[in-house]
Amino acid sequence: TSLMLVMIGGVSAVHTSSVTLVADKWLTAETPTNFIVEVSNDVSSSSPVNKVILYPLGYSDLTCGEAPSNWELYIDNGDSCGYKIKNPDGLIAPGDSEEFTLQATTSSDVEDAWLVTTVDTATNTDDNSVAPIGWTIQDAIDAADPGDVIEVPAGTYEENPLVNVNGITLSAETGTILKGYFTVAADDITFEGFELDGSSISGFVRGFEFYYNRKGVKIRNNIIHNFTSGIYINPTDASSNNIIIEHNEIYNTVAGIGGDSYRGVLIRNNHFHDNDEGVGYSDSESSNFAGPEIHENHFSDNPIAVKNYATSVTLNAENNFWGVTTYNEISDLVSENVDFEPWCYDAQCSPDTTK
């Protein structure tokens, strides 16, 4: 399935909605209250509306009203009400409007507040569901099930999402900026397309921080900058963790990628530049397991490209472009216990056949 995260403003600017409270302005605790929601599709719209999702904020024990003629209730989970057409005659065509009635009961007195998402036939199919307008990335994660894809539209998000649902994908449109950080607390998660900007966050902050023993995580095609660590991986317990970090740009960090006793990690095809340290590895557990594999990356303007703090492990960092091309120049950029031969002559990683 696909869970679409929709920012305030809705899927289409030509869809409008209004909520009429058929009672007092405030909800009284434990008192059922009726609402009428009118959805209008502007005459300038190019597509009919085929789904409407109603999401009352701060309510509990939500009861959904019956759907209008030719519509059916397809979301009734106590938190939101979703209506979709049963046949083409039920579409809200350009220039038309439709009314929906529902009833809500709350456990305390609250002021009415609503989010209404309207979905047209051009932007949604029956295989997708649309998050209520105004949801955060965290809201979408909390509502997701394993296997869901959360599509995040372009915009700036100021939050620190905790990703604790296994098997989900967070896919961002070009122009999606997270002024915050992700905490990776589940397995088999994919992150792609984000710009993570830590410049407005004070203190010791990591763009992606892994809980212990994570598996199957992929971080690809992101831009990560202005953090203490762009990505920090806490110890993993096996060499088969299948963590892949690829095609990212990481810059202006103390350490682009850092961590302790992390293995089963492939770091490839990333661009590390203007960091104090590109990749760092330590082994406080003295496990003597092989560390991460570091290949086909581009390092430039990092005083230290790869530093191995573990004395009992040699890191495999073959076939990278270090921004320089001679043995002595490269050896100045890496620490002891880093195998960097053979290396690449350019950012496209044409192999060095002469060493």
Side-chain angles (χ1 to χ4, degrees), residues 259-281:
D260 179 29
S261 304
Y262 60 97
R263 43 206 180 263
V265 178
L266 176 59
I267 302 170
R268 67 184 178 193
N269 293 303
N270 302 283
H271 184 195
F272 299 88
H273 65 92
D274 299 289
N275 306 285
D276 293 349
E277 179 180 287
V279 178
Y281 177 80

Side-chain angles (χ1 to χ4, degrees), residues 255-260 262 277-282 292 305-309 315:
I257 297 176
D260 179 29
Y262 60 97
E277 179 180 287
V279 178
Y281 177 80
S282 62
V306 177
K307 185 163 186 177
N308 185 1
Y309 295 88
L315 297 183

Side-chain angles (χ1 to χ4, degrees), residues 259-263 277 279-292 306-316 334-339:
D260 179 29
S261 304
Y262 60 97
R263 43 206 180 263
E277 179 180 287
V279 178
Y281 177 80
S282 62
D283 187 6
S284 65
E285 297 184 347
S286 300
S287 60
N288 295 322
F289 283 99
V306 177
K307 185 163 186 177
N308 185 1
Y309 295 88
T311 58
S312 58
V313 174
T314 297
L315 297 183
N316 184 342
V334 302
S335 71
E336 295 181 355
N337 300 313
V338 175
D339 176 14

Side-chain angles (χ1 to χ4, degrees), residues 137-138 157-163 178-184 191 196-198 201-202 204-209 227 229-230:
I137 297 172
Q138 186 67 64
Y157 300 80
E158 297 186 19
E159 54 178 305
N160 303 310
L162 170 66
V163 187
L178 176 63
K179 291 192 172 183
Y181 53 86
F182 284 109
T183 299
V184 183
F191 301 87
L196 272 66
D197 179 2
I201 308 172
S202 60
F204 191 88
V205 181
R206 295 152 172 173
F208 290 89
E209 179 160 9
F227 290 96
S229 293

Side-chain angles (χ1 to χ4, degrees), residues 28-301:
T28 304
E30 308 299 342
T31 303
T33 303
N34 288 325
F35 295 83
I36 296 177
V37 179
E38 181 179 20
V39 178
S40 299
N41 193 5
D42 192 270
V43 70
S44 64
S45 173
S46 60
S47 301
V49 171
N50 68 339
K51 290 184 181 180
V52 177
I53 301 174
L54 312 169
Y55 179 75
L57 296 176
Y59 293 35
S60 60
D61 304 320
L62 175 65
T63 301
C64 302
E66 292 185 4
S69 177
N70 295 320
W71 290 68
E72 63 180 322
L73 182 68
Y74 79 106
I75 298 176
D76 186 4
N77 57 16
D79 295 321
S80 59
C81 301
Y83 301 93
K84 66 179 181 180
I85 62 164
K86 290 193 291 187
N87 59 62
D89 293 336
L91 290 169
I92 303 177
D96 290 345
S97 63
E98 191 69 77
E99 286 188 349
F100 298 80
T101 301
L102 62 82
Q103 187 178 88
T105 302
T106 182
S107 58
S108 59
D109 294 348
V110 285
E111 188 173 7
D112 57 296
W114 287 88
L115 299 176
V116 181
T117 295
T118 52
V119 186
D120 62 37
T121 55
T123 56
N124 191 64
T125 70
D126 285 342
D127 294 329
N128 296 329
S129 58
V130 178
I133 299 170
W135 268 22
T136 63
I137 297 172
Q138 186 67 64
D139 289 332
I141 293 168
D142 293 342
D145 294 316
D148 278 349
V149 176
I150 299 174
E151 300 178 19
V152 184
T156 299
Y157 300 80
E158 297 186 19
E159 54 178 305
N160 303 310
L162 170 66
V163 187
N164 55 2
V165 181
N166 290 329
I168 64 173
T169 295
L170 289 97
S171 180
E173 292 181 352
T174 301
T176 301
I177 301 171
L178 176 63
K179 291 192 172 183
Y181 53 86
F182 284 109
T183 299
V184 183
D187 297 328
D188 302 312
I189 304 167
T190 298
F191 301 87
E192 55 188 10
F194 290 90
E195 178 181 349
L196 272 66
D197 179 2
S199 60
S200 61
I201 308 172
S202 60
F204 191 88
V205 181
R206 295 152 172 173
F208 290 89
E209 179 160 9
F210 284 61
Y211 277 14
Y212 281 63
N213 297 328
R214 300 278 57 88
K215 301 176 178 65
V217 177
K218 297 177 176 62
I219 299 176
R220 56 167 62 115
N221 298 316
N222 301 282
I223 301 171
I224 307 163
H225 59 93
N226 294 97
F227 290 96
T228 306
S229 293
I231 301 170
Y232 190 87
I233 307 173
N234 277 298
T236 54
D237 61 1
S239 60
S240 58
N241 288 287
N242 298 318
I243 295 171
I244 299 176
I245 301 170
E246 62 183 355
H247 300 292
N248 302 285
E249 179 185 4
I250 305 176
Y251 63 94
N252 285 351
T253 71
V254 176
I257 297 176
D260 179 29
S261 304
Y262 60 97
R263 43 206 180 263
V265 178
L266 176 59
I267 302 170
R268 67 184 178 193
N269 293 303
N270 302 283
H271 184 195
F272 299 88
H273 65 92
D274 299 289
N275 306 285
D276 293 349
E277 179 180 287
V279 178
Y281 177 80
S282 62
D283 187 6
S284 65
E285 297 184 347
S286 300
S287 60
N288 295 322
F289 283 99
E293 297 277 325
I294 307 167
H295 305 301
E296 298 180 357
N297 300 282
H298 177 192
F299 295 89
S300 59
D301 298 313

Side-chain angles (χ1 to χ4, degrees), residues 7-31:
M7 293 181 63
I8 292 175
V11 175
S12 172
V14 297
H15 304 163
T16 61
S17 61
S18 62
V19 179
T20 302
L21 182 61
V22 190
D24 192 83
K25 181 180 179 182
W26 292 78
L27 286 180
T28 304
E30 308 299 342
T31 303

